[in-house]
Amino acid sequence: MTPLLAEGTTRAAIGAAEGALQQGAWLLVALPLAGAALLLLGGRRTDAWGHWLAVAASWGAFVYGALLFLDLRSLAPEERVRDLTLFSWMPAGGFQLDAGLLLDPLSLAFVLLITFVGSLIHVYSVAYMEHDDDRRRFFAYLNLFVASMLLLVLANSYALLYVGWEGVGLASYLLIGFWNHNPVYATAAKKAFVMNRVGDFGLSVAIMIMFATFGTVTYAGVLPNAGEGSTNAMTWIGLALLLGACGKSAQFPLQAWLGDAMAGPTPVSALIHAATMVTAGVYLVVRSGPIYEAAPTAQLAVVIVGAVTLLFGAIVGCAKDDIKKALAASTMSQIGYMMLAAGLGGIGYVFAIMHLLTHGFFKAGMFLGAGSVMHGMNDSVEMRRYGALSGAMKTTWATFGLGWLAILGVPPFSGFFSKDGIIETAFATGEGWRPWVFGMATLIGAGITAFYMSRLFFMTFQGRKRWPAEAHPHESPSLMTVPMIILAVGSVALGGFLFVGGRFHDWLEPVTGAVEEHHPVIAKYPLMGLTLVLVAVGVALAWRQYWQAEVPQTAPRGSWITRAARKDLYQDDVNEAVFMRPGQYLTRSLVFTDTKGVDGAVGGLAAAVGGLGGRLRRWQSGLVRTYAASMLAGVVVLLLGVLAVRG
Amino acid sequence: MPWLTIMGLLPLLGAVIVWALPNGRDQLARAIALITSLAVLGLGLGLAIGFDVSSAGLYQYAENYRWIPQIGASYAVGVDGIALVMVLLSAILVPVCVLAAWNEYRGNAARNFFALILVLETFMIGVFAARDVFLFYVFFEAMLIPVYFLIGQFGGAQRRYAAVKFLLYSLLGGLVMLVAVIALYHQGPGGEQGFLTGSLTGVFAADAAGAVPVMAERLMFLGFFLAFAIKAPMWPVHTWLPDAASEAPPAVSVLLVGVLDKVGTFGMITLCLPLFPNASRWAAPVIMVFAVISVLYGALLAIGQSNLMRLIAYTSISHFGFIVLGVFAMTTTGQSGSALYMVNHGFSTAALFLVAGMLISRRGSSTIGDFGGLQRSTPVLAGAFLLAGLSSLALPGLSSFISEFLVLVGTYQRYPVVAIVSTLGIILAALYILITYQRMFTGPKQEFASAWRDLDSREMWVVAPLVAVIIALGFYPKPVLDVLTPAVDRTMQQVQQVDPDPAVQIAEGATP
């Protein structure tokens, strides 16, 4: 694949942060971090008001982020990339690294997404977690998450990014396992952290290669010089970064943790496992664009991972009866779209991030909707026991419906602009088989998405009611519905707002560079029509099966593909067979040989030196002096030996 | 003023007083132990403040007296950046350990315990400050005595076995080193002060004719290295540590693993490399392999343990593997990382052992399977354990991350494959910590812990300083790195190594 931005790439140069506003940007991270620290150290004393402190810290970060955004927007585009050095962080010999932040259109777009959606979810959680004894701890972790996520996107070096990267992993671990008195949830939390660490292994290796190649790990040092490095080095860096991105963003083959992560309280699923943290991998790839442009093989790998994951998630999503797991599969699939777009480069970067933003709104909205449904249905997640909830919870139904239209890509809702852009770019990028294969993957994915999302929507809100006798569905309090309404507004309008007039494209240009238009192998408007037809077919199929027909309360056995999809295409079975069981066997046998073998051999050797035979047990009989004397004799021999060869 | 000597003798004086107390004055014995160790800490901090950071590669607060001129031994002490930091580490951990063991013993036992801890502190300060190879050797061996008694008298059911095993392994290493020490003297300039580290450094540089006694240098290097490898436990001479650390009282395990074992890696970086530069370079590739094995082997074994204290011991074997990796990668980044790792590992392992000790004393068992659901019963204790654990798995933001990161980055510069394989250790670390946390702290609340109290104020005072240091050094390691790097630079010169250049030369001014 020829680099798309070979000519005409004009990324803006980095300037120093100026003015109190830019130089105080560390407050963005510090505010929620202080909130978390206060709540954790304050203990039970802060139970009464702690959640409001957390809400305030998060909104405070949003306000600061918005001011920064306005500040950057007032500058000329080529001056919108600002570097803020904070302090000397790791001055260790050959490795000199300052902690610093990079304020640019890309990081600011994330800051706004994280703090705005994050703050809405904070508000929602005040009501959602009202009856939990540990609500304060929950808010402390949420604040910790926001702080880490902001650090991740604002860092000006791969090493500082790594701090945020593992920080969000920790917050995710703590929140997935928030109800870890349930052993299944505790296992889910651990699984998420460990699989993320597999990804972090990749990120670590990437950083090592970077330092050996460039002698620095800052964006300013690595990215502009990526073209100077050998293709080999860039390819390995790109692949290692991709491994990190796969772990964090639940992309194939490190996707298995995301479904289980739904063990966390639903606001967590909305914020961390839908809107922000899981999209960090896409951020990493887009941020590292120059590296991938210098490494076509790695770039192709990104596209393949995205294509595989988008289909994988979509197939799994068709078979799940648990509303949160169905949404999780959808998240995986949608991030697959973003990843694919990021791998295409050029205009793909813009659509990847645009889809990330619109997805952040509509998917968070739908997760909050799912939480609202669970709230009204005694925490049941079983869609086969829902049905006809549209009447009982009108606001939830309406906001969820708008999110549904957005993810389907129905014009003029948000998802239409961003997803259609990705499909078009996939059909327009590369030569030979590539536009066809990757284009078809996104196209088919769109059809399947329409099916499984409609299935989810109809099973929950339409058709006939299948509630258990004790269920009394009711609308949630306004602390929960207002955030849902605001996110629904984003589901409707954000895509159009960003797309029309190339607004978002122009905004990102200093980071992604200017791009020339490519022409898709299928013309633009027929392609759009084809997409919409597929979407309509998907909706119609779901309508027939899950609205018109009776939905059985126990899942039918289903075809082999349904059964495979229910089991997440056997991802856990594969991991268990390939990694877990051999690992356990290895550990057990090492423990056995360590006591019997290594210890025995060394002990035997020591005893032999002492001239007293290999019986370890006799060590206990107090023959220390004998041993010591024998050793001393040995020492004398050794000494003579050394002195003899000395000259 | 001979500050280092005063600092070293102060705990010994405290020990004598504690021993001299009449029976029944337990409380006074504890108080004297604590006050003495705090006074030592105060002195240590004073030395750190007075330390000239700009010449941290030089030995400061130096003292030099003839001791046994007949054999060339001197009493010479002084600290460079690395030694200063290690002395401080000891001075911080001893009061913490005294406080942790506050209520453990009564009567004679209490006096013995605290006095032995103070004696041990004297030797620890001595071994890090020694500037004479013979003096170093004396402290190196003398340390064994208090530890032997601390394990043998105050340990668990298998304490005698563990104590003897510890002693034999250490003696074996020490005696082989003694051979090398004597041989080294003969190689050196000799005379009444022939054991001074300073005059022995450079003995194996090529002479005017370019001749180097290759074989002798290598054998002596191996003599020192074996002793240090046993002390720092590297695979395959590590098996004494799990026994010793699991049988010893938690406070002793902290000093054993957190400080004493560091003498091994400290010796590698401050004696092996400067004294035997050619042999160090010669042996480095093989040692790197052993270090990688230690990293992975220790971690895998930790995953398989059912005893909490043994588990922590095996994690340390893995961590020592990282430290050795950084030392023998022979890059400034790797060695700075290793030197910092020695400090960070001291604090994080101390936190882990001490919190584990609090759990074990409540449950009366150190078997992991005997715990469960504690996050619901004692949330603060659970939080403390998790934080210590996260530090052990080198979570960014906590101090161990900085050092592990630097070691790996520095190792990759010269040994890419070794570095990548070692990085697998971070996945295994997540497993051994989180599996343990899951088994002990998650799940439904259990009956046995219903009457447990959460951390009391004394225990808070034990944990809080460690946590504070772990977090502070995680965010801002510069003060410690600034002290360490000049000493590392000097070592790199002595071992005649320079950092490999990056593949791409970035134009001046391109990096901010």
Side-chain angles (χ1 to χ4, degrees), chain A residues 2-30:
Chain A
T2 46
L4 288 158
L5 297 183
E7 295 101 39
T9 304
T10 45
R11 290 183 159 95
I14 299 176
E18 280 166 6
L21 199 63
Q22 290 177 15
Q23 281 168 350
W26 55 273
L27 278 169
L28 277 172
V29 181

mmCIF file of all heavy atoms in Angstrom, chain A residues 2-30:
data_model
loop_
_atom_site.group_PDB
_atom_site.id
_atom_site.type_symbol
_atom_site.label_atom_id
_atom_site.label_comp_id
_atom_site.label_asym_id
_atom_site.label_seq_id
_atom_site.Cartn_x
_atom_site.Cartn_y
_atom_site.Cartn_z
ATOM 1 N N THR A 2 0.683 2.077 -0.972
ATOM 2 C CA THR A 2 1.508 3.283 -0.989
ATOM 3 C C THR A 2 0.993 4.244 0.070
ATOM 4 O O THR A 2 -0.212 4.372 0.263
ATOM 5 C CB THR A 2 1.430 3.975 -2.357
ATOM 6 O OG1 THR A 2 0.062 4.017 -2.740
ATOM 7 C CG2 THR A 2 2.234 3.237 -3.396
ATOM 8 N N PRO A 3 1.920 4.875 0.764
ATOM 9 C CA PRO A 3 1.476 5.829 1.784
ATOM 10 C C PRO A 3 0.571 6.880 1.162
ATOM 11 O O PRO A 3 0.864 7.407 0.092
ATOM 12 C CB PRO A 3 2.781 6.442 2.286
ATOM 13 C CG PRO A 3 3.843 5.477 1.892
ATOM 14 C CD PRO A 3 3.355 4.776 0.666
ATOM 15 N N LEU A 4 -0.535 7.129 1.847
ATOM 16 C CA LEU A 4 -1.526 8.029 1.253
ATOM 17 C C LEU A 4 -1.114 9.480 1.337
ATOM 18 O O LEU A 4 -1.580 10.306 0.576
ATOM 19 C CB LEU A 4 -2.858 7.847 1.975
ATOM 20 C CG LEU A 4 -3.517 6.524 1.631
ATOM 21 C CD1 LEU A 4 -4.497 6.140 2.700
ATOM 22 C CD2 LEU A 4 -4.185 6.634 0.285
ATOM 23 N N LEU A 5 -0.270 9.748 2.286
ATOM 24 C CA LEU A 5 0.035 11.159 2.504
ATOM 25 C C LEU A 5 1.439 11.508 2.045
ATOM 26 O O LEU A 5 2.050 12.425 2.554
ATOM 27 C CB LEU A 5 -0.112 11.504 3.986
ATOM 28 C CG LEU A 5 -1.522 11.328 4.539
ATOM 29 C CD1 LEU A 5 -1.556 11.757 5.988
ATOM 30 C CD2 LEU A 5 -2.516 12.132 3.728
ATOM 31 N N ALA A 6 1.928 10.714 1.086
ATOM 32 C CA ALA A 6 3.311 10.913 0.667
ATOM 33 C C ALA A 6 3.551 12.371 0.303
ATOM 34 O O ALA A 6 4.442 13.021 0.831
ATOM 35 C CB ALA A 6 3.633 10.018 -0.505
ATOM 36 N N GLU A 7 2.732 12.862 -0.625
ATOM 37 C CA GLU A 7 2.889 14.273 -0.968
ATOM 38 C C GLU A 7 1.718 15.055 -0.397
ATOM 39 O O GLU A 7 0.645 14.518 -0.162
ATOM 40 C CB GLU A 7 2.935 14.465 -2.488
ATOM 41 C CG GLU A 7 4.129 13.827 -3.154
ATOM 42 C CD GLU A 7 3.757 12.524 -3.810
ATOM 43 O OE1 GLU A 7 2.664 12.457 -4.386
ATOM 44 O OE2 GLU A 7 4.547 11.573 -3.719
ATOM 45 N N GLY A 8 1.955 16.288 -0.222
ATOM 46 C CA GLY A 8 0.867 17.161 0.199
ATOM 47 C C GLY A 8 0.509 17.019 1.660
ATOM 48 O O GLY A 8 -0.430 17.628 2.129
ATOM 49 N N THR A 9 1.250 16.191 2.399
ATOM 50 C CA THR A 9 0.975 16.097 3.822
ATOM 51 C C THR A 9 1.549 17.312 4.508
ATOM 52 O O THR A 9 2.742 17.559 4.449
ATOM 53 C CB THR A 9 1.650 14.860 4.407
ATOM 54 O OG1 THR A 9 1.201 13.751 3.667
ATOM 55 C CG2 THR A 9 1.298 14.689 5.852
ATOM 56 N N THR A 10 0.698 18.071 5.101
ATOM 57 C CA THR A 10 1.219 19.227 5.820
ATOM 58 C C THR A 10 0.694 19.173 7.227
ATOM 59 O O THR A 10 -0.394 19.639 7.512
ATOM 60 C CB THR A 10 0.760 20.532 5.155
ATOM 61 O OG1 THR A 10 -0.634 20.377 4.866
ATOM 62 C CG2 THR A 10 1.541 20.827 3.910
ATOM 63 N N ARG A 11 1.454 18.527 8.091
ATOM 64 C CA ARG A 11 1.073 18.550 9.491
ATOM 65 C C ARG A 11 1.686 19.801 10.096
ATOM 66 O O ARG A 11 2.808 20.178 9.775
ATOM 67 C CB ARG A 11 1.586 17.301 10.197
ATOM 68 C CG ARG A 11 0.846 16.033 9.762
ATOM 69 C CD ARG A 11 1.337 14.837 10.534
ATOM 70 N NE ARG A 11 0.363 13.764 10.509
ATOM 71 C CZ ARG A 11 0.385 12.767 9.638
ATOM 72 N NH1 ARG A 11 1.316 12.709 8.704
ATOM 73 N NH2 ARG A 11 -0.523 11.816 9.695
ATOM 74 N N ALA A 12 0.951 20.414 10.992
ATOM 75 C CA ALA A 12 1.429 21.668 11.561
ATOM 76 C C ALA A 12 2.617 21.426 12.483
ATOM 77 O O ALA A 12 2.724 20.391 13.122
ATOM 78 C CB ALA A 12 0.299 22.336 12.335
ATOM 79 N N ALA A 13 3.532 22.377 12.513
ATOM 80 C CA ALA A 13 4.673 22.292 13.423
ATOM 81 C C ALA A 13 4.211 22.567 14.853
ATOM 82 O O ALA A 13 3.157 23.147 15.082
ATOM 83 C CB ALA A 13 5.736 23.309 13.012
ATOM 84 N N ILE A 14 5.038 22.103 15.797
ATOM 85 C CA ILE A 14 4.650 22.229 17.202
ATOM 86 C C ILE A 14 5.193 23.527 17.778
ATOM 87 O O ILE A 14 6.376 23.829 17.662
ATOM 88 C CB ILE A 14 5.195 21.031 17.998
ATOM 89 C CG1 ILE A 14 4.597 19.743 17.442
ATOM 90 C CG2 ILE A 14 4.885 21.177 19.475
ATOM 91 C CD1 ILE A 14 5.126 18.489 18.074
ATOM 92 N N GLY A 15 4.324 24.299 18.393
ATOM 93 C CA GLY A 15 4.752 25.511 19.066
ATOM 94 C C GLY A 15 4.662 25.344 20.567
ATOM 95 O O GLY A 15 4.096 24.372 21.057
ATOM 96 N N ALA A 16 5.228 26.276 21.291
ATOM 97 C CA ALA A 16 5.166 26.193 22.756
ATOM 98 C C ALA A 16 3.844 26.771 23.246
ATOM 99 O O ALA A 16 3.285 27.683 22.639
ATOM 100 C CB ALA A 16 6.329 26.956 23.378
ATOM 101 N N ALA A 17 3.359 26.199 24.355
ATOM 102 C CA ALA A 17 2.111 26.691 24.929
ATOM 103 C C ALA A 17 2.298 28.114 25.418
ATOM 104 O O ALA A 17 3.314 28.449 26.014
ATOM 105 C CB ALA A 17 1.680 25.792 26.081
ATOM 106 N N GLU A 18 1.316 28.943 25.144
ATOM 107 C CA GLU A 18 1.404 30.348 25.543
ATOM 108 C C GLU A 18 0.155 30.751 26.296
ATOM 109 O O GLU A 18 -0.938 30.277 26.006
ATOM 110 C CB GLU A 18 1.537 31.246 24.301
ATOM 111 C CG GLU A 18 2.948 31.286 23.741
ATOM 112 C CD GLU A 18 2.968 31.888 22.349
ATOM 113 O OE1 GLU A 18 1.924 32.357 21.890
ATOM 114 O OE2 GLU A 18 4.051 31.860 21.742
ATOM 115 N N GLY A 19 0.328 31.645 27.215
ATOM 116 C CA GLY A 19 -0.818 32.175 27.943
ATOM 117 C C GLY A 19 -1.190 31.295 29.121
ATOM 118 O O GLY A 19 -0.919 30.094 29.135
ATOM 119 N N ALA A 20 -1.821 31.919 30.096
ATOM 120 C CA ALA A 20 -2.142 31.210 31.335
ATOM 121 C C ALA A 20 -3.053 30.025 31.082
ATOM 122 O O ALA A 20 -2.917 28.972 31.712
ATOM 123 C CB ALA A 20 -2.791 32.173 32.318
ATOM 124 N N LEU A 21 -3.963 30.176 30.134
ATOM 125 C CA LEU A 21 -4.934 29.113 29.895
ATOM 126 C C LEU A 21 -4.236 27.844 29.410
ATOM 127 O O LEU A 21 -4.454 26.750 29.930
ATOM 128 C CB LEU A 21 -5.957 29.602 28.870
ATOM 129 C CG LEU A 21 -7.260 28.817 28.832
ATOM 130 C CD1 LEU A 21 -8.004 28.929 30.151
ATOM 131 C CD2 LEU A 21 -8.125 29.293 27.686
ATOM 132 N N GLN A 22 -3.380 28.012 28.405
ATOM 133 C CA GLN A 22 -2.674 26.853 27.870
ATOM 134 C C GLN A 22 -1.692 26.289 28.893
ATOM 135 O O GLN A 22 -1.544 25.082 29.019
ATOM 136 C CB GLN A 22 -1.924 27.230 26.589
ATOM 137 C CG GLN A 22 -2.858 27.510 25.420
ATOM 138 C CD GLN A 22 -2.102 27.961 24.177
ATOM 139 O OE1 GLN A 22 -0.892 27.806 24.090
ATOM 140 N NE2 GLN A 22 -2.817 28.517 23.218
ATOM 141 N N GLN A 23 -1.034 27.195 29.619
ATOM 142 C CA GLN A 23 -0.029 26.698 30.552
ATOM 143 C C GLN A 23 -0.634 26.054 31.790
ATOM 144 O O GLN A 23 0.033 25.326 32.511
ATOM 145 C CB GLN A 23 0.919 27.835 30.937
ATOM 146 C CG GLN A 23 1.931 28.044 29.824
ATOM 147 C CD GLN A 23 2.729 29.309 29.968
ATOM 148 O OE1 GLN A 23 2.420 30.142 30.811
ATOM 149 N NE2 GLN A 23 3.752 29.452 29.150
ATOM 150 N N GLY A 24 -1.905 26.324 32.003
ATOM 151 C CA GLY A 24 -2.566 25.675 33.137
ATOM 152 C C GLY A 24 -3.286 24.409 32.740
ATOM 153 O O GLY A 24 -4.092 23.879 33.503
ATOM 154 N N ALA A 25 -2.996 23.902 31.537
ATOM 155 C CA ALA A 25 -3.750 22.754 31.020
ATOM 156 C C ALA A 25 -3.620 21.517 31.897
ATOM 157 O O ALA A 25 -4.463 20.627 31.846
ATOM 158 C CB ALA A 25 -3.312 22.437 29.591
ATOM 159 N N TRP A 26 -2.568 21.466 32.719
ATOM 160 C CA TRP A 26 -2.421 20.330 33.622
ATOM 161 C C TRP A 26 -3.584 20.225 34.595
ATOM 162 O O TRP A 26 -3.868 19.177 35.142
ATOM 163 C CB TRP A 26 -1.099 20.427 34.376
ATOM 164 C CG TRP A 26 -0.931 21.721 35.123
ATOM 165 C CD1 TRP A 26 -0.424 22.891 34.629
ATOM 166 C CD2 TRP A 26 -1.306 21.992 36.471
ATOM 167 N NE1 TRP A 26 -0.445 23.870 35.582
ATOM 168 C CE2 TRP A 26 -0.980 23.346 36.734
ATOM 169 C CE3 TRP A 26 -1.863 21.230 37.490
ATOM 170 C CZ2 TRP A 26 -1.218 23.949 37.967
ATOM 171 C CZ3 TRP A 26 -2.096 21.830 38.732
ATOM 172 C CH2 TRP A 26 -1.776 23.183 38.952
ATOM 173 N N LEU A 27 -4.290 21.353 34.777
ATOM 174 C CA LEU A 27 -5.453 21.331 35.667
ATOM 175 C C LEU A 27 -6.515 20.355 35.177
ATOM 176 O O LEU A 27 -7.279 19.803 35.963
ATOM 177 C CB LEU A 27 -6.054 22.737 35.751
ATOM 178 C CG LEU A 27 -5.369 23.690 36.730
ATOM 179 C CD1 LEU A 27 -5.861 25.104 36.524
ATOM 180 C CD2 LEU A 27 -5.655 23.244 38.161
ATOM 181 N N LEU A 28 -6.553 20.168 33.857
ATOM 182 C CA LEU A 28 -7.515 19.226 33.302
ATOM 183 C C LEU A 28 -7.371 17.850 33.946
ATOM 184 O O LEU A 28 -8.344 17.179 34.245
ATOM 185 C CB LEU A 28 -7.284 19.090 31.789
ATOM 186 C CG LEU A 28 -7.919 20.137 30.892
ATOM 187 C CD1 LEU A 28 -7.417 19.965 29.476
ATOM 188 C CD2 LEU A 28 -9.426 20.014 30.952
ATOM 189 N N VAL A 29 -6.114 17.427 34.130
ATOM 190 C CA VAL A 29 -5.856 16.128 34.737
ATOM 191 C C VAL A 29 -5.947 16.247 36.258
ATOM 192 O O VAL A 29 -6.488 15.370 36.936
ATOM 193 C CB VAL A 29 -4.457 15.607 34.327
ATOM 194 C CG1 VAL A 29 -4.199 14.241 34.952
ATOM 195 C CG2 VAL A 29 -4.355 15.533 32.815
ATOM 196 N N ALA A 30 -5.445 17.363 36.768
ATOM 197 C CA ALA A 30 -5.325 17.489 38.220
ATOM 198 C C ALA A 30 -6.689 17.565 38.905
ATOM 199 O O ALA A 30 -6.865 17.020 39.997
ATOM 200 C CB ALA A 30 -4.500 18.726 38.560
#
